Amino acid sequence: MKTITTLFIFCLFLSCSSKSDDGTQTENTSARFDLTAVKVTNASGDAPVKGDEITITMTVKNTGSSSGTVAISPKLSSSRFGDYHNVALDAVEGTLQAGETTQLTLTVGPFFKDAIKEKHYALGSGEYFFEAFELNGADDKEFEGRIFQVATSNRVLVPVIYDPTYFSKVNYNGSMKTYLEQAFTRKIELYNEGNYTEFEGGLDEMMDIEHLFYTIPTGNVSAYDAEGGLCEKAIALGGDALGLTKDWEGPVGTQGNNHGFDYLMAITPDSFGGVACGWIDVQVTGVFDFDLSIDRSQILIIHETSHLLGSPHCDQYDVEGYVMCGGEKHRKYIDHGIFVYYQRSRDMMSNKFD
Ligand SMILES: [Zn+2]
């Protein structure tokens, strides 16, 4: 009888070890979690391509002896892009019974911010891997499905730094993202030897690309304290805003140190038109104070991007009235707000990003 009593007290003592000072049962002391497998797909359940939102499916098992809640967050790294290591994604939570296995999902992208550092990323094409998953604060590095690929696509991933006072100038009430989507997908026409080809889907359709914009409100780029002209100020401000380790880098193309983004755009309320600097993969567009219409302001933006895509001005062909040479003078623009491209300009343009 004495032995039984001793055993009973001993067991009681053991079970008491998981009680906190006020005597209530603390959670999770005997729930243990193990991440066994990870799978990454796009919204359709297929392998992701550049510009997709991805769903990370995490198979987690509670190997402990009581139910408990797990908070799990992926640490994502890119094999292609620099300063893209152990990016902390958001955490998801689940409650599992003892012995239960479940799948938790997290949907992110194509743009995201590190949950801890002030750094912004795009899910460009290339190989990615998970360094670890944090489970209730402890790293789990042993699981299936560490590596996944993002295939290239025609999406162009553009970070946009902009001064919000731009909108009071052009008198627009929506978001910068909506404004830019409108600029790149509004109807354009392509002129070639007397014929017009219509592109209802705008510049994006003509180029068979799809711009995806990630907008970050900042101060005015022209007021940013950096050496050089507007483009140089933009790559410094852009590097700062995105949390790059240094300035945004060129030339035009998908570069290794721009956190997976393609080209940088800066929008300013300054009245000067715009400027494109292909060698540093950036365009800066302002306005013209003498014509603050949305039509005129948007044609400036697509003009500068068209430079980055390879087109010079078209007045060298002794023409006028097209997007790359006085597009605001074309009859179709004046009457219907249609941007008209000249075929020889189009021929110079191509998608520089992968
Ligand atoms: Zn120009």
Side-chain angles (χ1 to χ4, degrees):
M1 190 62 186
K2 181 112 194 305
T3 313
I4 290 168
T5 307
T6 310
L7 262 178
F8 177 74
I9 290 165
F10 183 66
C11 293
L12 191 69
F13 179 75
L14 260 186
S15 71
C16 281
S17 69
S18 65
K19 287 185 179 175
S20 58
D21 290 347
D22 63 2
T24 57
Q25 188 79 34
T26 54
E27 275 188 304
N28 295 355
T29 46
S30 52
R32 287 180 193 283
F33 300 100
D34 179 32
L35 175 72
T36 56
V38 175
K39 190 166 189 212
V40 175
T41 57
N42 65 13
S44 340
D46 300 319
V49 302
K50 180 184 181 183
D52 277 349
E53 187 178 67
I54 58 166
T55 296
I56 304 164
T57 303
M58 298 157 278
T59 304
V60 190
K61 183 172 188 187
N62 179 354
T63 59
S65 56
S66 75
S67 74
T69 301
V70 62
I72 176 166
S73 59
K75 293 181 177 178
L76 180 66
S77 299
S78 162
S79 305
R80 179 183 182 189
F81 303 112
D83 188 41
Y84 205 129
H85 193 65
N86 276 341
V87 178
L89 303 183
D90 287 336
V92 284
E93 278 191 11
T95 299
L96 282 75
Q97 301 303 312
E100 184 185 352
T101 297
T102 197
Q103 293 190 324
L104 299 174
T105 60
L106 174 67
T107 299
V108 292
F111 305 114
F112 50 85
K113 195 177 161 186
D114 187 298
I116 299 159
K117 301 172 203 153
E118 288 293 309
K119 287 174 176 281
H120 303 263
Y121 294 89
L123 211 55
S125 70
E127 181 184 277
Y128 293 84
F129 59 98
F130 296 105
E131 191 74 32
F133 282 71
E134 202 174 285
L135 274 67
N136 289 343
D139 279 356
D140 186 334
K141 297 184 173 187
E142 303 282 323
F143 50 88
E144 296 285 314
R146 174 182 305 279
I147 297 171
F148 69 96
Q149 309 287 335
V150 175
T152 194
S153 76
N154 68 344
R155 268 81 167 261
V156 181
L157 310 179
V158 177
V160 182
I161 48 174
Y162 71 101
D163 179 345
T165 64
Y166 175 88
F167 286 131
S168 50
K169 271 211 164 173
V170 302
N171 197 21
Y172 181 83
N173 291 320
S175 68
M176 180 53 83
K177 185 169 172 285
T178 308
Y179 179 79
L180 292 172
E181 283 166 358
Q182 186 189 86
F184 284 82
T185 61
R186 57 184 284 165
K187 182 179 175 179
I188 63 167
E189 294 192 25
L190 176 60
Y191 175 78
N192 187 27
E193 298 180 355
N195 298 309
Y196 289 91
T197 307
E198 298 182 0
F199 293 94
E200 293 290 342
L203 173 65
D204 274 7
E205 188 193 339
M206 182 179 79
M207 295 306 301
D208 189 25
I209 59 179
E210 183 188 351
H211 273 86
L212 299 181
F213 300 103
Y214 184 64
T215 60
I216 306 176
T218 60
N220 191 341
V221 62
S222 63
Y224 192 70
D225 186 18
E227 294 286 311
L230 269 180
C231 285
E232 285 76 16
K233 285 176 182 290
I235 61 169
L237 175 58
D240 229 24
L242 293 169
L244 305 181
T245 52
K246 41 195 170 181
D247 288 355
W248 176 270
E249 285 183 2
V252 177
T254 309
Q255 303 303 335
N257 290 321
N258 295 334
H259 282 186
F261 293 99
D262 287 321
Y263 75 86
L264 177 65
M265 184 184 294
I267 302 288
T268 157
D270 294 0
S271 177
F272 74 102
V275 59
C277 301
W279 66 98
I280 40 178
D281 198 24
V282 62
Q283 68 111 310
V284 184
T285 303
V287 293
F288 282 128
D289 278 346
F290 56 83
D291 181 359
L292 290 167
S293 65
I294 286 176
D295 284 352
R296 188 66 183 273
S297 305
Q298 290 188 341
I299 202 173
L300 285 174
I301 294 172
I302 70 162
H303 173 104
E304 298 310 333
T305 289
S306 298
H307 277 316
L308 292 183
L309 297 178
S311 175
H313 290 140
C314 48
D315 45 10
Q316 62 179 302
Y317 312 125
D318 288 327
V319 295
E320 187 182 69
Y322 305 98
V323 172
M324 299 314 289
C325 47
E328 73 284 357
K329 293 176 184 158
H330 202 284
R331 202 25 49 198
K332 283 175 182 274
Y333 172 88
I334 296 164
D335 292 345
H336 309 292
I338 295 171
F339 303 161
V340 183
Y341 275 85
Y342 191 60
Q343 182 68 47
R344 289 179 72 175
S345 301
R346 166 65 186 89
D347 291 344
M348 301 293 287
M349 293 161 65
S350 62
N351 180 3
K352 316 283 188 198
F353 310 100
D354 68 337

